[in-house]
């Protein structure tokens, strides 16, 4: 009876396009996270390069340089650490292009959007999808050997992306937002 087909509703979320060149890397990372409790996070160091005029708090990000490792003149915002992964989900655009992997932190329910940057040039006719809404966001730059390693030993590549901090860099974090706000307020006070 019924004879109908039961499908899972996607609630308007895009499904990954198997033909997209980045789908393989995101799927590899998603599968590697199964059974893994921790995802390594890079450090976050920032320097505020104040302009020669007063700025608004919303403009402070334009005058900030970020680094995943310590550098002279940079302030420590966040030490390297780990995110305890409760679950992970691949977010895609309506066309199927992977936008980011969203990791949910155990205990706090904070989310971290992880964008993989390809080891090849992004097609100029395809816009980089926007990051999904998340508490924080970082990028992982895939090295030139990522394609060969994905074919030869995909588990090793997944372990490298999960446990290592090489190529990882913060895009946004609540502590960075608070630090930038403090820098902008300090700079505004100097101009009064």
């Amino acid at each position: 009876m019924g004879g109908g087909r039961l499908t899972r509703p996607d609630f308007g979320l895009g499904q990954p396009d198997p033909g997209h060149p980045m789908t393989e890397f995101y799927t590899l990372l998603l599968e590697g996270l199964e059974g893994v409790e921790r995802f390594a996070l890079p450090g976050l160091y920032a320097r505020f390069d104040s302009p020669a005029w007063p700025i608004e708090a919303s403009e402070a990000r334009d005058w900030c340089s970020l680094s995943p490792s310590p550098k002279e003149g940079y302030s420590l915002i966040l030490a390297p650490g780990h995110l305890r992964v409760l679950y992970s989900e691949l977010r895609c655009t309506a066309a199927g292009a992977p936008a980011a992997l969203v990791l949910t932190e155990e205990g706090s329910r904070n989310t971290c959007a992880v964008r993989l940057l390809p080891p090849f040039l992004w097609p100029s006719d395809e816009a980089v999808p926007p990051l999904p809404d998340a508490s924080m966001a970082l990028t992982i730059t895939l090295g030139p050997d990522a394609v060969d390693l994905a074919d030869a030993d995909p588990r090793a590549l997944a372990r490298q992306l999960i446990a290592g901090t090489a190529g990882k860099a913060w895009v946004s974090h609540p502590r960075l937002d608070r630090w930038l706000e403090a820098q902008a307020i300090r700079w505004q006070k100097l101009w009064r």
Side-chain angles (χ1 to χ4, degrees), residues 32-158:
L33 283 166
E34 291 177 14
V36 173
E37 291 184 13
R38 295 176 181 263
F39 181 82
L41 298 174
L44 175 58
Y45 299 84
R47 183 181 73 206
F48 184 68
D49 300 315
S50 49
W53 55 85
I55 60 168
E56 297 297 321
S58 61
E59 297 174 302
R61 181 63 188 246
D62 298 337
W63 300 96
C64 178
S65 302
L66 303 178
S67 173
S69 58
K71 290 183 178 179
E72 188 175 336
Y74 282 66
S75 300
L76 173 66
I77 306 298
L78 182 69
H82 292 90
L83 179 114
R84 290 184 54 92
V85 180
L86 179 62
Y87 56 87
S88 54
E89 174 187 14
L90 177 59
R91 299 275 178 91
C92 299
T93 64
L101 193 63
V102 178
L103 308 178
T104 302
E105 184 177 21
E106 184 178 351
S108 69
R109 303 279 185 178
N110 286 331
T111 55
C112 181
V114 178
R115 169 168 285 157
L116 298 177
L117 300 178
F120 44 81
L121 291 175
W122 198 269
S124 60
D125 60 335
E126 184 179 341
V128 177
L131 282 167
D133 287 335
S135 308
M136 50 195 147
L138 62 89
T139 59
I140 303 176
T141 303
L142 298 172
D145 62 335
V147 176
D148 293 334
L149 195 54
D151 292 334
D153 193 356
R155 288 185 180 167
L157 179 59

